[in-house]
Amino acid sequence: MSNELVINSTEKGGRIALLRDKRIVEYHIEESENQFTVGDIYLGTVRKISPGSNAAFVDIGHEKDAFLHYQDLGPNFSSLHKLTQDVIAKRINGTRLNGVQLEAEIDKFGKISQVLTKNAPILVQVVKEPISTKGPRLSCELSLAGRYIVLVPFSNSVNISKKITNKQERQRLARLLNSIKPQNFGIIVRTVAESKEVAELDRDLQNLMEKWENGMKLLREAKPREKIIGEMNRASSMLRDMLNESFDSITVDDKDAYEDIRTYIHTIAPEKEKIVKLYSGKNKIFEQFGIEKQLKSIFGRSVSLPGGGYLIIEHTEAMHVIDVNSGSRSNTEADQEATAVNTNIEAVKEIARQLRVRDMGGIISIDFIDMKKAENKRLIYEKMKEEMQSDRSKFTILPLTKFGVMQITRQRVRPELHISTGETCPTCGGTGKVGPTILLTDQIESNLEYIITRQNEKHIILTVHPYLHAYFTNGLPSRRMKWFFRYKTWIKIVKDSSLGITEYKFVNKFGDDIEIIP
């Protein structure tokens, strides 16, 4: 299984596509105007205390004040708040926490008015980007993520990822990190740290400590709304979290981005530096890798499945609803239960991919095709858990109900990605919409295959716009010649300029239109 990262630089930022075996599994748009990224740490100002919701609204520079709930202050908020005030007032010079006496933990069930006052300066971290009409969501439990560890100020514990199950390895990592961690800093050991040497872990720790120290130096002279510690860009954070032996290519079309990524990879994984490539082809990078075409087919309301079924994806403010349909597959298998199971398995794989690509969060309700056998419902549930394992967002999956509906909750930390796949119709001048034209030739070839192999039609005439006629008949071998070799029948192609460029029809030898019977 190959993993490729393709990065397209644009005027507004960049587009990032993660490909697994040439298929998109993650897609991100990084805009330079979006200054509120998950992980960024700001010096905010408390604007309003809301006793009813036990929360505060904090100004960090967004048009809407950010939301900070009491439960997100963290038990060591008093220590963080005192440090913030002391650094701003220049009462302390050091940037580390050696010798700092931690304050008593705040009451877990306390009130926010007891610990915060209006106009107070406060150090906060973005945990959810602005979504819709809501401002950012904040936390005061600060953490700095590295490749192998996460550094947590004002803590003294070492916690190991639950995905590291080997008892001896957990003990080894705990022993190593306890021996090198700075005073008053806690550490969360990430899954990728398994089997790593102490030198690699220590290098990661020192990088994070340097980041913290630079932030504290900046805090001394910082003004309200200023970013104190910034999270790295989306491409680098993906590499930090995902770079492993299966990553075999990172292709960038911008020289500056290429140099930045090479430098970063040299820091975290020098042996992988050679997989970074600068793209210099004539075609646009996303066209060359077939990504533009995939995007048009992925983000529509209807998403096709390999076996003839399809998904309908609807979005509402409160939740997402996905309907699984068998489509033309319902006539291809004698056993209705087998048809339902096979289509549902295909749907599970595509849904897991769709959740990642669109970054869908909140509640997702999936209406699978009805299955009568309990073991088949369990199979679909287990398949979904298996397919979702590679998802980096936190999620919970519930088994299918007796109505065949599965519910999933998935962490949402940034706005869901929407890409319009409809295009203005060139024939009607914009009064209507058509599907994406980039998929038109694929649709024609798919229908042709269905007519020949399923409906056993012979002597087929295809009528198309002159542009499509040229596309199918020019070249050596032409696409029509390839059809002849594949189906052992010659397809007559007629050009008709009265047709729109997106219109076509199949006709039999009697001149009658051929209807496609699902």
Side-chain angles (χ1 to χ4, degrees):
M1 183 180 292
S2 67
N3 284 313
E4 301 174 83
L5 200 65
V6 182
I7 303 171
N8 168 222
S9 294
T10 65
E11 291 181 1
K12 293 184 177 180
R15 299 189 297 164
I16 305 162
L18 175 63
L19 308 182
R20 182 160 296 158
D21 294 333
K22 307 299 181 184
R23 298 179 74 233
I24 299 176
V25 292
E26 280 193 38
Y27 178 67
H28 301 276
I29 298 176
E30 193 169 49
E31 296 181 348
S32 53
E33 306 95 64
N34 180 23
Q35 61 190 88
F36 303 99
T37 303
V38 172
D40 286 346
I41 298 176
Y42 284 85
L43 176 61
T45 304
V46 178
R47 285 293 178 215
K48 180 183 176 184
I49 303 292
S50 177
S53 55
N54 204 17
F57 290 90
V58 181
D59 179 15
I60 60 171
H62 190 261
E63 58 184 351
K64 291 283 186 76
D65 286 340
F67 182 80
L68 174 65
H69 193 273
Y70 181 86
Q71 296 296 330
D72 293 322
L73 292 176
N76 292 303
F77 172 75
S78 297
S79 299
L80 172 66
H81 198 43
K82 184 175 185 299
L83 176 77
T84 304
Q85 293 174 322
D86 287 346
V87 171
I88 292 173
K90 300 182 176 61
R91 286 193 288 266
I92 58 174
N93 295 319
T95 55
R96 296 205 171 202
L97 303 179
N98 295 347
V100 173
Q101 184 67 39
L102 297 185
E103 301 292 312
E105 293 187 359
I106 63 173
D107 183 3
K108 186 177 181 180
F109 303 103
K111 300 296 182 183
I112 200 157
S113 56
Q114 297 170 341
V115 292
L116 277 182
T117 56
K118 189 177 178 181
N119 297 324
I122 183 172
L123 209 56
V124 290
Q125 187 166 32
V126 178
V127 293
K128 185 180 287 189
E129 293 176 14
I131 297 175
S132 186
T133 58
K134 299 175 182 177
R137 178 83 183 247
L138 305 176
S139 172
C140 289
E141 290 192 90
L142 307 185
S143 62
L144 305 180
R147 177 152 168 75
Y148 301 118
I149 64 174
V150 177
L151 188 67
V152 185
F154 304 106
S155 172
N156 278 300
S157 62
V158 173
N159 297 303
I160 314 293
S161 167
K162 293 179 180 178
K163 293 183 180 178
I164 300 177
T165 55
N166 183 281
K167 185 178 179 181
Q168 286 74 24
E169 178 62 10
R170 292 179 66 87
Q171 291 173 342
R172 182 188 78 91
L173 289 170
R175 186 174 65 254
L176 286 177
L177 271 306
N178 270 306
S179 67
I180 63 174
K181 82 173 188 64
Q183 185 183 2
N184 292 327
F185 282 94
I187 288 177
I188 300 170
V189 183
R190 308 183 73 170
T191 309
V192 288
E194 189 169 9
S195 303
K196 298 300 177 184
E197 298 296 328
V198 65
E200 295 179 89
L201 302 176
D202 185 59
R203 184 169 64 243
D204 199 27
L205 174 60
Q206 295 310 317
N207 288 338
L208 294 177
M209 284 302 302
E210 183 181 353
K211 198 173 182 181
W212 170 262
E213 290 169 11
N214 290 337
M216 290 300 101
K217 290 175 184 175
L218 185 61
L219 180 61
R220 289 171 59 85
E221 309 296 335
K223 297 177 181 178
R225 300 181 169 190
E226 194 167 333
K227 187 187 295 185
I228 305 302
I229 299 176
E231 175 63 292
M232 59 184 61
N233 62 44
R234 195 73 54 82
S236 297
S237 66
M238 288 176 70
L239 290 172
R240 177 193 67 197
D241 295 344
M242 302 182 65
L243 189 66
N244 54 34
E245 290 71 22
S246 67
F247 241 92
D248 50 26
S249 175
I250 301 168
T251 311
V252 193
D253 65 355
D254 179 76
K255 191 169 184 180
D256 291 338
Y258 166 75
E259 293 295 343
D260 288 345
I261 289 174
R262 273 194 65 188
T263 302
Y264 178 66
I265 291 202
H266 180 75
T267 303
I268 65 169
E271 73 283 358
K272 283 286 184 181
E273 190 178 345
K274 61 182 180 295
I275 70 174
V276 186
K277 302 164 189 171
L278 178 63
Y279 177 76
S280 56
K282 292 182 179 180
N283 295 332
K284 292 182 178 179
I285 188 169
F286 271 27
E287 293 282 359
Q288 182 67 27
F289 282 81
I291 295 171
E292 293 288 10
K293 192 172 183 177
Q294 287 193 56
L295 290 176
K296 289 289 187 179
S297 63
I298 287 174
F299 281 91
R301 176 175 175 267
S302 176
V303 179
S304 299
L305 299 175
Y310 61 94
L311 307 175
I312 298 294
I313 303 177
E314 298 281 5
H315 307 280
T316 71
E317 187 69 24
M319 64 188 301
H320 310 278
V321 180
I322 302 176
D323 186 30
V324 182
N325 297 275
S326 59
S328 60
R329 188 167 193 159
S330 58
N331 293 330
T332 63
E333 296 178 28
D335 185 354
Q336 188 175 354
E337 183 80 359
T339 300
V341 172
N342 292 334
T343 305
N344 285 340
I345 289 174
E346 285 185 354
V348 162
K349 295 178 180 178
E350 184 59 33
I351 289 168
R353 177 183 175 224
Q354 288 285 332
L355 297 185
R356 290 183 66 183
V357 174
R358 301 190 190 208
D359 206 3
M360 293 163 62
I363 300 173
I364 300 107
S365 182
I366 307 165
D367 182 13
F368 284 102
I369 300 171
D370 286 341
M371 298 171 293
K372 295 179 180 178
K373 297 180 180 178
E375 59 266 30
N376 289 334
K377 291 184 179 181
R378 282 196 301 271
L379 172 66
I380 298 303
Y381 173 59
E382 295 299 329
K383 283 284 183 184
M384 182 60 82
K385 289 199 295 184
E386 181 184 326
E387 291 294 327
M388 292 282 286
Q389 279 182 350
S390 57
D391 197 323
R392 292 184 294 145
S393 294
K394 295 178 182 177
F395 59 86
T396 303
I397 305 173
L398 298 181
L400 275 75
T401 67
K402 64 179 180 179
F403 301 117
V405 176
M406 176 184 287
Q407 289 176 302
I408 298 175
T409 60
R410 186 174 181 271
Q411 182 186 29
R412 179 166 60 176
V413 296
R414 56 180 60 91
E416 183 194 341
L417 202 54
H418 289 285
I419 294 179
S420 176
T421 58
E423 300 175 2
T424 304
C425 176
T427 305
C428 69
T431 59
K433 292 280 184 177
V434 296
T437 56
I438 198 170
L439 301 178
L440 180 64
T441 55
D442 289 356
Q443 186 182 35
I444 290 173
E445 293 186 335
S446 175
N447 287 340
L448 178 65
E449 180 182 21
Y450 191 86
I451 289 170
I452 293 173
T453 60
R454 301 286 179 85
Q455 297 185 192
N456 297 316
E457 290 279 358
K458 305 294 181 185
H459 308 291
I460 299 168
I461 302 169
L462 171 61
T463 306
V464 293
H465 186 276
Y467 284 163
L468 285 174
H469 180 274
Y471 175 77
F472 288 127
T473 57
N474 289 351
L476 191 66
S478 66
R479 299 190 80 85
R480 175 168 58 178
M481 187 65 70
K482 292 178 181 178
W483 295 345
F484 177 73
F485 291 138
R486 186 187 305 169
Y487 304 121
K488 304 298 184 289
T489 185
W490 185 255
I491 308 299
K492 184 178 180 181
I493 304 179
V494 177
K495 52 186 173 184
D496 183 350
S497 58
S498 68
L499 292 177
I501 195 170
T502 58
E503 296 178 305
Y504 63 92
K505 59 182 177 180
F506 293 100
V507 180
N508 60 24
K509 62 181 178 180
F510 303 109
D512 299 325
D513 289 349
I514 298 174
E515 293 186 12
I516 298 174
I517 305 170

